[in-house]
Amino acid sequence: MPTALYPGTFDPVTYGHIDIAVRASKIFRRVVAVVATNPVKNPLFTPEERVEMARESLRDVPRIEVISYPGLIINCLKEYGASAIIRGLRAVSDLDYEFQMAFTNRNMLESAETIFLMPSAKYAYLNSTLVRQIAQHGGDIGEFVPECVKRKILEKMPV
């Protein structure tokens, strides 16, 4: 298969994100992890910082590149000649939102296909908000994020 986009805010990138990216790279010839801007969220890191952390975290995974894209994912899909959007599903609670996004994207661009991938069971509960909350309260986040990400979080949230 050709190129797939894997969009997310990645604030910060976690082992769950990495797990989904690796799974996608086994299916697609090229995976573009798209660090997106979500106006509803108040990110801890700038888009540039998130791209840097994602690139460092995924540097050993072949066929994955990381970019920042401020616009609609369907425009990014066209620009990169991608055929699919990868989305991770952790739990049934993710399904409603993800279906809305998939159908909206397909409504705007008929060829926009969304592929849902489940992470390993050990990452099924993991999300960036949880990682930030644990770090904010002085908890050890080492089992949730790569060392490079842990360092950046601790720089932003000294305990």
Side-chain angles (χ1 to χ4, degrees), residues 92-125:
V92 173
S93 57
D94 291 342
L95 208 53
D96 186 48
Y97 173 77
E98 294 298 341
F99 268 42
Q100 288 175 25
M101 291 302 300
F103 284 123
T104 300
N105 286 332
R106 191 181 306 153
N107 187 52
M108 291 189 291
L109 179 65
E110 192 174 330
S111 64
E113 292 295 342
T114 301
I115 309 290
F116 297 107
L117 296 177
M118 292 174 28
S120 296
K122 66 182 180 178
Y123 303 125
Y125 64 90

Side-chain angles (χ1 to χ4, degrees), residues 129-141 157-159:
T129 301
L130 182 61
V131 170
R132 288 193 312 270
Q133 289 173 342
I134 292 168
Q136 190 173 28
H137 294 287
D140 183 11
I141 55 172
M157 297 180 163
V159 185

Side-chain angles (χ1 to χ4, degrees), residues 36-130:
T37 305
N38 185 337
V40 176
K41 295 184 177 182
N42 184 21
L44 177 63
F45 295 100
T46 66
E48 296 78 20
E49 289 171 319
R50 289 182 273 146
V51 165
E52 179 187 326
M53 287 185 291
R55 282 183 180 154
E56 190 171 342
S57 299
L58 293 164
R59 73 172 179 248
D60 296 329
V61 183
R63 298 187 308 277
I64 296 181
E65 71 178 276
V66 180
I67 65 161
S68 177
Y69 197 86
L72 292 173
I73 199 65
I74 58 162
N75 292 337
C76 188
L77 200 70
K78 290 184 224 174
E79 191 174 318
Y80 279 80
S83 62
I85 300 166
I86 301 294
R87 297 298 295 164
L89 284 180
R90 294 173 300 224
V92 173
S93 57
D94 291 342
L95 208 53
D96 186 48
Y97 173 77
E98 294 298 341
F99 268 42
Q100 288 175 25
M101 291 302 300
F103 284 123
T104 300
N105 286 332
R106 191 181 306 153
N107 187 52
M108 291 189 291
L109 179 65
E110 192 174 330
S111 64
E113 292 295 342
T114 301
I115 309 290
F116 297 107
L117 296 177
M118 292 174 28
S120 296
K122 66 182 180 178
Y123 303 125
Y125 64 90
L126 186 58
N127 65 52
S128 297
T129 301
L130 182 61

